[in-house]
Amino acid sequence: MKATRLGVAGLVAALLGTFVSATPASAAPSAADTTSTATCATDPATPKRQFRAMWISSVVNIDWPSKASQTNPDRIAAQQAEYRELLDLAGRLHHNAVVVQVRPTADALWPSPYEPWSEYLTGVRGQDPGWDPLAFLVDESHKRNLEFHAWFNPYRVSMPAPGGAGADLTQLAPGHPAQQHPDWTFAYPPAGVAGSRLYYNPGIPEVREFVQTAMMDAVKRYDIDGVHFDDYFYPYPSGTYQVPDDATFEAHNRGFTDRADWRRDNINLLIQEMNGKIKAAKPWVKFGVSPFGIWRNKTVDPLGSDTTGSQSYDIISADTRKWIKQEWIDYVVPQLYWYIGQYPAADYARLVPWWAETVRGTRVQLYIGQADYKSGDPAYGPYWQNPRELSDHLTLNRSYPEVQGNVHFSAVQVRANRLGATDIYAAEHYSRPALVPAMPHLPARPLLFPVVTKATRQADGVRLTWRQPADGVGPLGTATSYAIYRFDGTTLPGRCATADAAHLVDTVRATPGNAQSWVDTSAEPGRRYTYQLTAVDRSANESPASPPAFVLR
C-alpha cells in the first residue's frame, strides 16, 4: 500500500467525517478502550483470532490443479478458475489462510532457476506452462485477504511408477539437478520394489544447501506469508528395507557414532538453517512444520505422549519436540488424523493435551491438522461415520488455550462435505470471520487507527470509506488489511466490544491509493448501525480502533 500522510487540517476533516449524524463529543475511544481486553469475557465459539486454513495439494493433482485441466483447450484460464473456486470455498468457511503445495517433488510451480517446472501443471515433467502460477496464487489469495503459506517438500524427488518417475533418473525432467548429481540421491525402497521412488539424501551437506537455496528463491521473489514443511524428511519405513546411507554416514558423520542421532541432526540442521535464512531475508515470513502426530510414546520416553503408535522421532528422524523447544519454527501443525475414543495407539483426546503442553512456555503457536479426508469414508471405520466427529475435535480444542487454530486436509475433501461434516463444524466454530493469531516475536511497528471519512447507505448496503492518517514505508508499520466491526444501533463501543469476533463482519485487504472502501452488503435497510475499523499489519497486529461511524438512516 502506498505510504499516505494527512496534514493536520486533513486529519481534522477526516475525523469530523466519521460522524454521519450528530454524535456525542466523547465518541472517540481511548487507547485503553481498544487495546486492553485481557479481562473481557469472550465467546469461545467466536474467537477473534484463530488460524483457519486448508491444505491445497498439487502432488498427483490431489487438489489443484486438476488433472483434467491439463488438457483443457484454455488450460491457464481453467486452472485459474479452479483456484478461485477454492478461494471462494475458503471465504464461505471464514478461513483466513491457505497452505498451497508449490514444490511437491523437487520441482517448482514458479519459474525457478534451480529446478524444473512441475509436471502437475501440464502433465509433462519440466514443461513451461506459459505463465507464473505462484505469482497468481499469491496475488489471488491476498485479494481475498488470505495469508499464503508456501508448502515445500524438502527431499522428495519423484513419485512411484507408473505415474511417476519411480527410481529411474532418466525419467525425470531433462537437465534435472538429480541427473546432474546422481550421487545426491537414493532410491527407497530399492529400485525394482513396488513403491520405489527417489529422494535427495539429507546426510549430504551440499544437498541440504541446495534444497534450501531452491526454496529460498520463492521466499525472496514472492510475497508469501509463510514457509510450510509437511512430515516428509527421511522416508517412512517400507518393510525391512534400510535407507541406503552407509557411505554418507562414513563421509559426513560429523563425529556422530549413532546413525539415528546423526540422521536426526541432519534434519535439525535443515530446520534450524532454513529458519535462519527465512528470517534473514524477510523477518516477517513465518516458518511452520506439519509433523506426524506422534513424537514419541511415553512407554519409550517419559516425555512422550500416552500413545502406542509410530514415532516420528525414530521412523523419519524428526525431532519435532526439539524444534519447538529451540523455537526454530513459528508454528507447528501436528497431523492428528485420529478420532476421539478408545484408540490406545493414537487417541485425539490424548494427543491434543500433549502438544498443548509441549508448546506451553514457548513462542511456537499450535494449530491442529484435521483429517477431513476420513470423514464419511467407510474405509476408516465407524467413528468416522459420525458427522460430528470433526466438530467435536474443534470443541475439544477449546479446552486448551495453546491450540490457536486448525488446518484441514485437504481442499477437495473439505469441499466434498461428506455427511455434512464441513457444514457442521463451520456453523459451530467458524460462524464469524477471525484474524490470524499475532506473533509478537516477529518485528513490527505500531499502526495508527484508520479514520472513516464517510458511511453512506446505498442500494446494495452501507458503503464505508476511510483513510489511514499515517502509514509506514515497506512491510513493517504498514496497514496490510483492515478489520471491520459493526454494532447494532448507535452506541459507543466499550473496551470489550472488539475482544472477540461477535461484531467482526469482515476483514479486507488494503488496496493501492489513499482512499479505502468497502460495502456492507449484509446491512439491513432502515436499521441503525455503528462501525469501527482497525488497521492490521502483515503479522496480524491490530491498531487501536477508529472513532465510531454512525449510520442513522
Side-chain angles (χ1 to χ4, degrees), residues 91 94 431-434 464 482-488 500-508 518-523 529-533:
H94 289 145
S431 64
R432 308 292 297 178
L464 300 180
Y482 295 91
I484 302 170
Y485 300 87
R486 186 186 72 194
F487 306 88
D488 291 334
D500 63 16
H503 300 286
L504 180 64
V505 291
D506 204 357
T507 68
V508 297
W518 170 84
V519 178
D520 182 3
T521 57
S522 66
Y529 293 110
T530 302
Y531 291 91
Q532 281 190 304
L533 277 67

mmCIF file of all heavy atoms in Angstrom, residues 91 94 431-434 464 482-488 500-508 518-523 529-533:
data_model
loop_
_atom_site.group_PDB
_atom_site.id
_atom_site.type_symbol
_atom_site.label_atom_id
_atom_site.label_comp_id
_atom_site.label_asym_id
_atom_site.label_seq_id
_atom_site.Cartn_x
_atom_site.Cartn_y
_atom_site.Cartn_z
ATOM 1 N N GLY A 91 -13.450 -18.586 1.605
ATOM 2 C CA GLY A 91 -14.193 -17.416 2.057
ATOM 3 C C GLY A 91 -15.506 -17.783 2.719
ATOM 4 O O GLY A 91 -15.868 -17.220 3.762
ATOM 5 N N HIS A 94 -15.057 -18.820 6.221
ATOM 6 C CA HIS A 94 -14.363 -17.842 7.068
ATOM 7 C C HIS A 94 -12.947 -18.291 7.401
ATOM 8 O O HIS A 94 -12.449 -18.058 8.508
ATOM 9 C CB HIS A 94 -15.147 -17.567 8.354
ATOM 10 C CG HIS A 94 -16.397 -16.780 8.129
ATOM 11 N ND1 HIS A 94 -17.552 -16.983 8.864
ATOM 12 C CD2 HIS A 94 -16.697 -15.797 7.238
ATOM 13 C CE1 HIS A 94 -18.496 -16.156 8.443
ATOM 14 N NE2 HIS A 94 -17.998 -15.419 7.459
ATOM 15 N N SER A 431 -18.339 -19.461 12.486
ATOM 16 C CA SER A 431 -19.520 -18.687 12.101
ATOM 17 C C SER A 431 -19.196 -17.225 11.835
ATOM 18 O O SER A 431 -19.979 -16.524 11.175
ATOM 19 C CB SER A 431 -20.593 -18.786 13.185
ATOM 20 O OG SER A 431 -20.131 -18.192 14.398
ATOM 21 N N ARG A 432 -18.088 -16.743 12.367
ATOM 22 C CA ARG A 432 -17.684 -15.359 12.174
ATOM 23 C C ARG A 432 -16.290 -15.315 11.569
ATOM 24 O O ARG A 432 -15.515 -16.275 11.700
ATOM 25 C CB ARG A 432 -17.656 -14.594 13.508
ATOM 26 C CG ARG A 432 -18.921 -14.683 14.324
ATOM 27 C CD ARG A 432 -20.081 -13.977 13.674
ATOM 28 N NE ARG A 432 -19.858 -12.539 13.524
ATOM 29 C CZ ARG A 432 -20.710 -11.714 12.945
ATOM 30 N NH1 ARG A 432 -21.838 -12.186 12.439
ATOM 31 N NH2 ARG A 432 -20.446 -10.426 12.849
ATOM 32 N N PRO A 433 -15.918 -14.230 10.912
ATOM 33 C CA PRO A 433 -14.519 -14.099 10.478
ATOM 34 C C PRO A 433 -13.588 -14.087 11.689
ATOM 35 O O PRO A 433 -14.019 -13.902 12.833
ATOM 36 C CB PRO A 433 -14.509 -12.732 9.762
ATOM 37 C CG PRO A 433 -15.933 -12.409 9.483
ATOM 38 C CD PRO A 433 -16.745 -13.060 10.548
ATOM 39 N N ALA A 434 -12.314 -14.264 11.436
ATOM 40 C CA ALA A 434 -11.315 -14.204 12.504
ATOM 41 C C ALA A 434 -9.991 -13.724 11.928
ATOM 42 O O ALA A 434 -9.677 -13.995 10.765
ATOM 43 C CB ALA A 434 -11.136 -15.572 13.166
ATOM 44 N N LEU A 464 -18.596 2.119 3.410
ATOM 45 C CA LEU A 464 -17.648 2.813 4.275
ATOM 46 C C LEU A 464 -16.452 3.255 3.444
ATOM 47 O O LEU A 464 -15.942 2.489 2.626
ATOM 48 C CB LEU A 464 -17.155 1.895 5.397
ATOM 49 C CG LEU A 464 -18.189 1.315 6.368
ATOM 50 C CD1 LEU A 464 -17.484 0.440 7.400
ATOM 51 C CD2 LEU A 464 -18.978 2.416 7.046
ATOM 52 N N TYR A 482 -7.610 -4.504 6.876
ATOM 53 C CA TYR A 482 -8.451 -3.813 7.857
ATOM 54 C C TYR A 482 -9.483 -4.788 8.407
ATOM 55 O O TYR A 482 -10.019 -5.623 7.671
ATOM 56 C CB TYR A 482 -9.148 -2.614 7.221
ATOM 57 C CG TYR A 482 -8.179 -1.534 6.777
ATOM 58 C CD1 TYR A 482 -7.659 -1.544 5.486
ATOM 59 C CD2 TYR A 482 -7.759 -0.544 7.654
ATOM 60 C CE1 TYR A 482 -6.749 -0.576 5.077
ATOM 61 C CE2 TYR A 482 -6.848 0.416 7.258
ATOM 62 C CZ TYR A 482 -6.341 0.399 5.970
ATOM 63 O OH TYR A 482 -5.434 1.345 5.570
ATOM 64 N N ALA A 483 -9.760 -4.655 9.698
ATOM 65 C CA ALA A 483 -10.834 -5.410 10.340
ATOM 66 C C ALA A 483 -12.008 -4.469 10.548
ATOM 67 O O ALA A 483 -11.832 -3.333 11.015
ATOM 68 C CB ALA A 483 -10.362 -5.972 11.671
ATOM 69 N N ILE A 484 -13.198 -4.929 10.197
ATOM 70 C CA ILE A 484 -14.386 -4.088 10.226
ATOM 71 C C ILE A 484 -15.378 -4.664 11.237
ATOM 72 O O ILE A 484 -15.779 -5.832 11.138
ATOM 73 C CB ILE A 484 -15.030 -4.004 8.833
ATOM 74 C CG1 ILE A 484 -14.013 -3.444 7.829
ATOM 75 C CG2 ILE A 484 -16.284 -3.126 8.867
ATOM 76 C CD1 ILE A 484 -14.456 -3.536 6.381
ATOM 77 N N TYR A 485 -15.741 -3.849 12.209
ATOM 78 C CA TYR A 485 -16.667 -4.245 13.267
ATOM 79 C C TYR A 485 -17.960 -3.453 13.110
ATOM 80 O O TYR A 485 -17.948 -2.258 12.815
ATOM 81 C CB TYR A 485 -16.071 -3.967 14.650
ATOM 82 C CG TYR A 485 -14.775 -4.705 14.924
ATOM 83 C CD1 TYR A 485 -13.548 -4.158 14.553
ATOM 84 C CD2 TYR A 485 -14.779 -5.941 15.556
ATOM 85 C CE1 TYR A 485 -12.355 -4.826 14.797
ATOM 86 C CE2 TYR A 485 -13.590 -6.619 15.817
ATOM 87 C CZ TYR A 485 -12.388 -6.053 15.434
ATOM 88 O OH TYR A 485 -11.210 -6.716 15.680
ATOM 89 N N ARG A 486 -19.076 -4.131 13.335
ATOM 90 C CA ARG A 486 -20.384 -3.489 13.224
ATOM 91 C C ARG A 486 -21.220 -3.789 14.464
ATOM 92 O O ARG A 486 -21.276 -4.941 14.926
ATOM 93 C CB ARG A 486 -21.118 -3.995 11.984
ATOM 94 C CG ARG A 486 -22.437 -3.260 11.719
ATOM 95 C CD ARG A 486 -23.196 -3.900 10.571
ATOM 96 N NE ARG A 486 -23.758 -5.198 10.964
ATOM 97 C CZ ARG A 486 -24.233 -6.090 10.096
ATOM 98 N NH1 ARG A 486 -24.184 -5.839 8.789
ATOM 99 N NH2 ARG A 486 -24.742 -7.243 10.518
ATOM 100 N N PHE A 487 -21.871 -2.736 14.981
ATOM 101 C CA PHE A 487 -22.713 -2.864 16.164
ATOM 102 C C PHE A 487 -24.112 -2.370 15.813
ATOM 103 O O PHE A 487 -24.282 -1.397 15.071
ATOM 104 C CB PHE A 487 -22.146 -2.036 17.317
ATOM 105 C CG PHE A 487 -20.701 -2.348 17.618
ATOM 106 C CD1 PHE A 487 -19.686 -1.668 16.953
ATOM 107 C CD2 PHE A 487 -20.360 -3.326 18.532
ATOM 108 C CE1 PHE A 487 -18.352 -1.960 17.203
ATOM 109 C CE2 PHE A 487 -19.030 -3.620 18.788
ATOM 110 C CZ PHE A 487 -18.026 -2.938 18.123
ATOM 111 N N ASP A 488 -25.113 -3.049 16.339
ATOM 112 C CA ASP A 488 -26.489 -2.626 16.104
ATOM 113 C C ASP A 488 -26.781 -1.344 16.879
ATOM 114 O O ASP A 488 -26.362 -1.189 18.030
ATOM 115 C CB ASP A 488 -27.469 -3.715 16.534
ATOM 116 C CG ASP A 488 -27.414 -4.932 15.626
ATOM 117 O OD1 ASP A 488 -27.039 -4.767 14.445
ATOM 118 O OD2 ASP A 488 -27.738 -6.042 16.091
ATOM 119 N N ASP A 500 -13.798 -10.215 21.025
ATOM 120 C CA ASP A 500 -13.979 -11.432 20.237
ATOM 121 C C ASP A 500 -14.572 -11.042 18.887
ATOM 122 O O ASP A 500 -14.622 -9.857 18.536
ATOM 123 C CB ASP A 500 -14.819 -12.484 20.971
ATOM 124 C CG ASP A 500 -16.250 -12.043 21.254
ATOM 125 O OD1 ASP A 500 -16.705 -11.053 20.641
ATOM 126 O OD2 ASP A 500 -16.917 -12.680 22.086
ATOM 127 N N ALA A 501 -14.998 -12.023 18.111
ATOM 128 C CA ALA A 501 -15.455 -11.746 16.746
ATOM 129 C C ALA A 501 -16.962 -11.590 16.643
ATOM 130 O O ALA A 501 -17.503 -11.599 15.542
ATOM 131 C CB ALA A 501 -14.990 -12.860 15.812
ATOM 132 N N ALA A 502 -17.636 -11.411 17.766
ATOM 133 C CA ALA A 502 -19.095 -11.303 17.715
ATOM 134 C C ALA A 502 -19.549 -10.175 16.802
ATOM 135 O O ALA A 502 -20.605 -10.264 16.167
ATOM 136 C CB ALA A 502 -19.655 -11.106 19.124
ATOM 137 N N HIS A 503 -18.761 -9.107 16.717
ATOM 138 C CA HIS A 503 -19.134 -7.952 15.901
ATOM 139 C C HIS A 503 -18.217 -7.767 14.695
ATOM 140 O O HIS A 503 -18.323 -6.767 13.990
ATOM 141 C CB HIS A 503 -19.134 -6.685 16.763
ATOM 142 C CG HIS A 503 -20.088 -6.740 17.907
ATOM 143 N ND1 HIS A 503 -21.455 -6.615 17.749
ATOM 144 C CD2 HIS A 503 -19.884 -6.949 19.241
ATOM 145 C CE1 HIS A 503 -22.047 -6.722 18.923
ATOM 146 N NE2 HIS A 503 -21.122 -6.929 19.847
ATOM 147 N N LEU A 504 -17.317 -8.711 14.481
ATOM 148 C CA LEU A 504 -16.416 -8.628 13.329
ATOM 149 C C LEU A 504 -17.165 -9.110 12.087
ATOM 150 O O LEU A 504 -17.535 -10.274 11.994
ATOM 151 C CB LEU A 504 -15.172 -9.487 13.572
ATOM 152 C CG LEU A 504 -14.113 -9.509 12.469
ATOM 153 C CD1 LEU A 504 -13.498 -8.132 12.265
ATOM 154 C CD2 LEU A 504 -13.016 -10.533 12.808
ATOM 155 N N VAL A 505 -17.396 -8.211 11.137
ATOM 156 C CA VAL A 505 -18.178 -8.582 9.956
ATOM 157 C C VAL A 505 -17.312 -8.926 8.760
ATOM 158 O O VAL A 505 -17.745 -9.646 7.860
ATOM 159 C CB VAL A 505 -19.191 -7.489 9.567
ATOM 160 C CG1 VAL A 505 -20.284 -7.399 10.613
ATOM 161 C CG2 VAL A 505 -18.514 -6.133 9.377
ATOM 162 N N ASP A 506 -16.057 -8.418 8.729
ATOM 163 C CA ASP A 506 -15.216 -8.737 7.586
ATOM 164 C C ASP A 506 -13.792 -8.280 7.867
ATOM 165 O O ASP A 506 -13.540 -7.449 8.748
ATOM 166 C CB ASP A 506 -15.730 -8.032 6.326
ATOM 167 C CG ASP A 506 -15.314 -8.731 5.030
ATOM 168 O OD1 ASP A 506 -14.578 -9.740 5.100
ATOM 169 O OD2 ASP A 506 -15.730 -8.270 3.947
ATOM 170 N N THR A 507 -12.867 -8.850 7.116
ATOM 171 C CA THR A 507 -11.515 -8.321 7.028
ATOM 172 C C THR A 507 -11.228 -8.131 5.544
ATOM 173 O O THR A 507 -11.610 -8.976 4.728
ATOM 174 C CB THR A 507 -10.464 -9.259 7.654
ATOM 175 O OG1 THR A 507 -10.350 -10.451 6.869
ATOM 176 C CG2 THR A 507 -10.825 -9.604 9.092
ATOM 177 N N VAL A 508 -10.601 -7.034 5.197
ATOM 178 C CA VAL A 508 -10.383 -6.719 3.784
ATOM 179 C C VAL A 508 -8.945 -6.301 3.565
ATOM 180 O O VAL A 508 -8.313 -5.695 4.426
ATOM 181 C CB VAL A 508 -11.341 -5.609 3.295
ATOM 182 C CG1 VAL A 508 -12.776 -6.079 3.379
ATOM 183 C CG2 VAL A 508 -11.158 -4.324 4.079
ATOM 184 N N TRP A 518 -15.327 -0.128 1.253
ATOM 185 C CA TRP A 518 -15.924 -1.470 1.424
ATOM 186 C C TRP A 518 -17.425 -1.307 1.576
ATOM 187 O O TRP A 518 -17.898 -0.309 2.144
ATOM 188 C CB TRP A 518 -15.328 -2.146 2.651
ATOM 189 C CG TRP A 518 -15.989 -3.426 3.089
ATOM 190 C CD1 TRP A 518 -15.765 -4.685 2.604
ATOM 191 C CD2 TRP A 518 -16.958 -3.567 4.130
ATOM 192 N NE1 TRP A 518 -16.539 -5.608 3.283
ATOM 193 C CE2 TRP A 518 -17.280 -4.941 4.220
ATOM 194 C CE3 TRP A 518 -17.588 -2.676 4.998
ATOM 195 C CZ2 TRP A 518 -18.198 -5.444 5.138
ATOM 196 C CZ3 TRP A 518 -18.516 -3.168 5.910
ATOM 197 C CH2 TRP A 518 -18.815 -4.538 5.978
ATOM 198 N N VAL A 519 -18.186 -2.267 1.062
ATOM 199 C CA VAL A 519 -19.640 -2.215 1.161
ATOM 200 C C VAL A 519 -20.136 -3.347 2.052
ATOM 201 O O VAL A 519 -19.794 -4.527 1.826
ATOM 202 C CB VAL A 519 -20.304 -2.311 -0.223
ATOM 203 C CG1 VAL A 519 -21.829 -2.312 -0.087
ATOM 204 C CG2 VAL A 519 -19.867 -1.149 -1.100
ATOM 205 N N ASP A 520 -20.929 -2.990 3.047
ATOM 206 C CA ASP A 520 -21.555 -3.968 3.938
ATOM 207 C C ASP A 520 -22.864 -4.408 3.304
ATOM 208 O O ASP A 520 -23.914 -3.793 3.502
ATOM 209 C CB ASP A 520 -21.784 -3.334 5.309
ATOM 210 C CG ASP A 520 -22.392 -4.314 6.308
ATOM 211 O OD1 ASP A 520 -22.571 -5.497 5.937
ATOM 212 O OD2 ASP A 520 -22.672 -3.906 7.450
ATOM 213 N N THR A 521 -22.793 -5.489 2.533
ATOM 214 C CA THR A 521 -23.986 -5.963 1.823
ATOM 215 C C THR A 521 -24.965 -6.676 2.745
ATOM 216 O O THR A 521 -26.106 -6.949 2.365
ATOM 217 C CB THR A 521 -23.587 -6.922 0.688
ATOM 218 O OG1 THR A 521 -22.828 -8.008 1.232
ATOM 219 C CG2 THR A 521 -22.750 -6.188 -0.359
ATOM 220 N N SER A 522 -24.539 -6.971 3.978
ATOM 221 C CA SER A 522 -25.444 -7.638 4.927
ATOM 222 C C SER A 522 -26.208 -6.638 5.794
ATOM 223 O O SER A 522 -27.038 -7.038 6.614
ATOM 224 C CB SER A 522 -24.659 -8.597 5.822
ATOM 225 O OG SER A 522 -23.758 -7.890 6.655
ATOM 226 N N ALA A 523 -25.930 -5.350 5.636
ATOM 227 C CA ALA A 523 -26.655 -4.331 6.401
ATOM 228 C C ALA A 523 -28.126 -4.301 5.961
ATOM 229 O O ALA A 523 -28.431 -4.268 4.769
ATOM 230 C CB ALA A 523 -26.013 -2.964 6.195
ATOM 231 N N TYR A 529 -26.723 1.561 12.540
ATOM 232 C CA TYR A 529 -25.501 0.813 12.827
ATOM 233 C C TYR A 529 -24.389 1.741 13.294
ATOM 234 O O TYR A 529 -24.385 2.945 12.957
ATOM 235 C CB TYR A 529 -25.008 0.076 11.582
ATOM 236 C CG TYR A 529 -25.908 -1.035 11.095
ATOM 237 C CD1 TYR A 529 -26.620 -0.910 9.908
ATOM 238 C CD2 TYR A 529 -26.034 -2.217 11.816
ATOM 239 C CE1 TYR A 529 -27.429 -1.927 9.445
ATOM 240 C CE2 TYR A 529 -26.858 -3.242 11.362
ATOM 241 C CZ TYR A 529 -27.549 -3.090 10.180
ATOM 242 O OH TYR A 529 -28.364 -4.102 9.737
ATOM 243 N N THR A 530 -23.466 1.148 14.035
ATOM 244 C CA THR A 530 -22.217 1.809 14.406
ATOM 245 C C THR A 530 -21.068 0.949 13.884
ATOM 246 O O THR A 530 -21.077 -0.278 14.074
ATOM 247 C CB THR A 530 -22.088 1.959 15.932
ATOM 248 O OG1 THR A 530 -23.201 2.699 16.429
ATOM 249 C CG2 THR A 530 -20.797 2.676 16.304
ATOM 250 N N TYR A 531 -20.119 1.583 13.229
ATOM 251 C CA TYR A 531 -18.969 0.866 12.679
ATOM 252 C C TYR A 531 -17.680 1.354 13.329
ATOM 253 O O TYR A 531 -17.532 2.544 13.639
ATOM 254 C CB TYR A 531 -18.863 1.084 11.168
ATOM 255 C CG TYR A 531 -19.962 0.435 10.364
ATOM 256 C CD1 TYR A 531 -21.130 1.133 10.074
ATOM 257 C CD2 TYR A 531 -19.824 -0.866 9.887
ATOM 258 C CE1 TYR A 531 -22.137 0.558 9.317
ATOM 259 C CE2 TYR A 531 -20.833 -1.458 9.132
ATOM 260 C CZ TYR A 531 -21.981 -0.739 8.852
ATOM 261 O OH TYR A 531 -22.980 -1.329 8.112
ATOM 262 N N GLN A 532 -16.755 0.425 13.519
ATOM 263 C CA GLN A 532 -15.381 0.756 13.884
ATOM 264 C C GLN A 532 -14.441 -0.083 13.037
ATOM 265 O O GLN A 532 -14.747 -1.242 12.712
ATOM 266 C CB GLN A 532 -15.104 0.490 15.367
ATOM 267 C CG GLN A 532 -15.618 1.562 16.298
ATOM 268 C CD GLN A 532 -15.098 1.373 17.713
ATOM 269 O OE1 GLN A 532 -15.276 0.318 18.318
ATOM 270 N NE2 GLN A 532 -14.443 2.397 18.244
ATOM 271 N N LEU A 533 -13.292 0.488 12.705
ATOM 272 C CA LEU A 533 -12.281 -0.208 11.909
ATOM 273 C C LEU A 533 -10.961 -0.214 12.659
ATOM 274 O O LEU A 533 -10.669 0.702 13.444
ATOM 275 C CB LEU A 533 -12.072 0.478 10.554
ATOM 276 C CG LEU A 533 -13.039 0.135 9.410
ATOM 277 C CD1 LEU A 533 -14.436 0.643 9.703
ATOM 278 C CD2 LEU A 533 -12.523 0.723 8.106
#
